Amino acid sequence: MKWEELDTYAKQWTKEAGERIRSSFSTTLDITTKSSPNDLVTNMDRDIEKFFIEKIREHFPQHKIFGEEGFGDTLNDLNGVVWIIDPIDGTMNFIHQQRNFAISVGIYENGIGQIGIIYDVVHDELYYARKGQGAYINGEPVPKLKETNISEAIVGLNAIWATENKRIDYTKIVPLVQDVRGTRSYGSAALELVYVATGRIDAYISMRLAPWDFAAGIILVQELGGIATNIEGKELNLMEKSSVFVAKPHLHQQILSNYLLK
Ligand code: IPD
Ligand code: CA
Ligand code: CA
């Protein structure tokens, strides 16, 4: 496998996809719903996924593609090279705000994350990590993470998890919200993972994400020394939906033992 070639193409296609999204701002979106009235999808989500699939099939026909909108392959395993793509992560923000969304592309080889790309389209910021070779924002290296205490931590968390819900006993989340310095919710898991990777927030917790939401982000977080697990502290499975909890190592262990597993 020529990873340099793959790298170059992956970044180039992601930037091109971003340009297409920026150009769509002046057009009228076709908006429909999927599993619920708040689960939105647009023609751009589908077009961007198709754009990646066309490029990958042309240049790397042996690779497999796992994309949110379902135009890729049906996967039974993660053998070989697999592209895990969320064409627009944060579609609700894309529709309502025309900002706070990202393109997320994770490239795995036999289940191991090799390349993570998250593109903040509106800010033209391309976050990129290659396993063992560091992480970069528009080509500038990102420093490794430094630890933060709970009392000084900003945690990415949707307010819904601090209310009664079917995924977690919310009484575990309330004291966490009270003890940390602050909480934030940006509405794009990919961006929230990037914010942990770059130290803008210190942890991110979601009770339910799909593999395309976190495939690229966890590569970036791990490359910078962060830990990525589910909320039980167990390894993430790239083939299924799960909870996701990322943080700096000591903070990860503190939040797990003092709150999530208490
Ligand atoms: C969503 C965003 C959101 C997260 C949802 C995801 P989408 O992705 O990442 O932050 O809370 O669970 O489904 O649908 O905009 O690609
Ligand atoms: Ca998503
Ligand atoms: Ca999406």
Side-chain angles (χ1 to χ4, degrees), residues 54-55 80 122 150-151 165 196 229 237 262:
E54 210 170 280
K55 297 284 189 194
V122 171
I150 287 194
S151 60
N165 71 86
V196 174
T229 64
N237 181 342
K262 206 171 174 188

mmCIF file of all heavy atoms in Angstrom, residues 54-55 80 122 150-151 165 196 229 237 262:
data_model
loop_
_atom_site.group_PDB
_atom_site.id
_atom_site.type_symbol
_atom_site.label_atom_id
_atom_site.label_comp_id
_atom_site.label_asym_id
_atom_site.label_seq_id
_atom_site.Cartn_x
_atom_site.Cartn_y
_atom_site.Cartn_z
ATOM 1 N N GLU A 54 -17.012 7.771 -5.884
ATOM 2 C CA GLU A 54 -16.551 7.773 -7.280
ATOM 3 C C GLU A 54 -15.019 7.858 -7.351
ATOM 4 O O GLU A 54 -14.372 7.091 -8.062
ATOM 5 C CB GLU A 54 -17.159 8.999 -7.958
ATOM 6 C CG GLU A 54 -17.418 8.836 -9.427
ATOM 7 C CD GLU A 54 -18.241 10.008 -9.920
ATOM 8 O OE1 GLU A 54 -19.484 10.006 -9.724
ATOM 9 O OE2 GLU A 54 -17.634 10.943 -10.462
ATOM 10 N N LYS A 55 -14.448 8.770 -6.582
ATOM 11 C CA LYS A 55 -12.988 8.961 -6.576
ATOM 12 C C LYS A 55 -12.282 7.707 -6.047
ATOM 13 O O LYS A 55 -11.282 7.264 -6.627
ATOM 14 C CB LYS A 55 -12.605 10.158 -5.691
ATOM 15 C CG LYS A 55 -13.145 11.481 -6.172
ATOM 16 C CD LYS A 55 -12.335 11.975 -7.350
ATOM 17 C CE LYS A 55 -12.689 13.391 -7.727
ATOM 18 N NZ LYS A 55 -12.168 13.752 -9.039
ATOM 19 N N GLY A 80 -8.725 -5.521 5.165
ATOM 20 C CA GLY A 80 -8.288 -4.695 4.037
ATOM 21 C C GLY A 80 -8.336 -3.226 4.402
ATOM 22 O O GLY A 80 -8.366 -2.858 5.583
ATOM 23 N N VAL A 122 -16.165 25.542 6.780
ATOM 24 C CA VAL A 122 -16.383 26.994 6.793
ATOM 25 C C VAL A 122 -15.113 27.740 7.214
ATOM 26 O O VAL A 122 -14.791 28.799 6.666
ATOM 27 C CB VAL A 122 -17.579 27.335 7.702
ATOM 28 C CG1 VAL A 122 -17.703 28.829 7.932
ATOM 29 C CG2 VAL A 122 -18.862 26.795 7.060
ATOM 30 N N ILE A 150 -10.234 17.669 36.852
ATOM 31 C CA ILE A 150 -11.689 17.756 36.643
ATOM 32 C C ILE A 150 -12.184 19.185 36.874
ATOM 33 O O ILE A 150 -12.966 19.714 36.082
ATOM 34 C CB ILE A 150 -12.417 16.751 37.561
ATOM 35 C CG1 ILE A 150 -12.175 15.348 37.003
ATOM 36 C CG2 ILE A 150 -13.907 17.104 37.691
ATOM 37 C CD1 ILE A 150 -13.024 14.257 37.517
ATOM 38 N N SER A 151 -11.700 19.827 37.937
ATOM 39 C CA SER A 151 -12.224 21.161 38.279
ATOM 40 C C SER A 151 -11.860 22.217 37.228
ATOM 41 O O SER A 151 -12.452 23.292 37.205
ATOM 42 C CB SER A 151 -11.709 21.593 39.650
ATOM 43 O OG SER A 151 -10.301 21.636 39.603
ATOM 44 N N ASN A 165 -33.002 9.681 30.349
ATOM 45 C CA ASN A 165 -32.876 9.118 28.999
ATOM 46 C C ASN A 165 -32.619 7.630 29.116
ATOM 47 O O ASN A 165 -32.304 7.128 30.201
ATOM 48 C CB ASN A 165 -31.741 9.827 28.245
ATOM 49 C CG ASN A 165 -30.383 9.466 28.784
ATOM 50 O OD1 ASN A 165 -29.802 8.464 28.388
ATOM 51 N ND2 ASN A 165 -29.853 10.258 29.721
ATOM 52 N N VAL A 196 -11.168 17.994 21.314
ATOM 53 C CA VAL A 196 -10.433 17.279 22.368
ATOM 54 C C VAL A 196 -8.987 17.070 21.908
ATOM 55 O O VAL A 196 -8.041 17.318 22.651
ATOM 56 C CB VAL A 196 -11.091 15.921 22.715
ATOM 57 C CG1 VAL A 196 -10.213 15.135 23.699
ATOM 58 C CG2 VAL A 196 -12.478 16.127 23.315
ATOM 59 N N THR A 229 -12.633 5.440 24.250
ATOM 60 C CA THR A 229 -13.316 4.185 24.616
ATOM 61 C C THR A 229 -14.822 4.433 24.545
ATOM 62 O O THR A 229 -15.255 5.532 24.207
ATOM 63 C CB THR A 229 -12.990 3.773 26.080
ATOM 64 O OG1 THR A 229 -13.528 4.778 26.957
ATOM 65 C CG2 THR A 229 -11.497 3.614 26.311
ATOM 66 N N ASN A 237 -15.915 -0.357 18.982
ATOM 67 C CA ASN A 237 -16.088 -1.273 17.850
ATOM 68 C C ASN A 237 -16.511 -0.439 16.633
ATOM 69 O O ASN A 237 -17.554 0.221 16.659
ATOM 70 C CB ASN A 237 -17.170 -2.297 18.215
ATOM 71 C CG ASN A 237 -17.398 -3.306 17.121
ATOM 72 O OD1 ASN A 237 -17.020 -3.083 15.962
ATOM 73 N ND2 ASN A 237 -18.023 -4.423 17.471
ATOM 74 N N LYS A 262 -19.328 4.831 38.609
ATOM 75 C CA LYS A 262 -19.577 4.871 40.053
ATOM 76 C C LYS A 262 -20.864 4.144 40.414
ATOM 77 O O LYS A 262 -21.851 4.278 39.707
ATOM 78 C CB LYS A 262 -19.628 6.317 40.528
ATOM 79 C CG LYS A 262 -19.247 6.450 41.979
ATOM 80 C CD LYS A 262 -19.085 7.889 42.370
ATOM 81 C CE LYS A 262 -18.835 7.972 43.881
ATOM 82 N NZ LYS A 262 -18.852 9.336 44.348
#
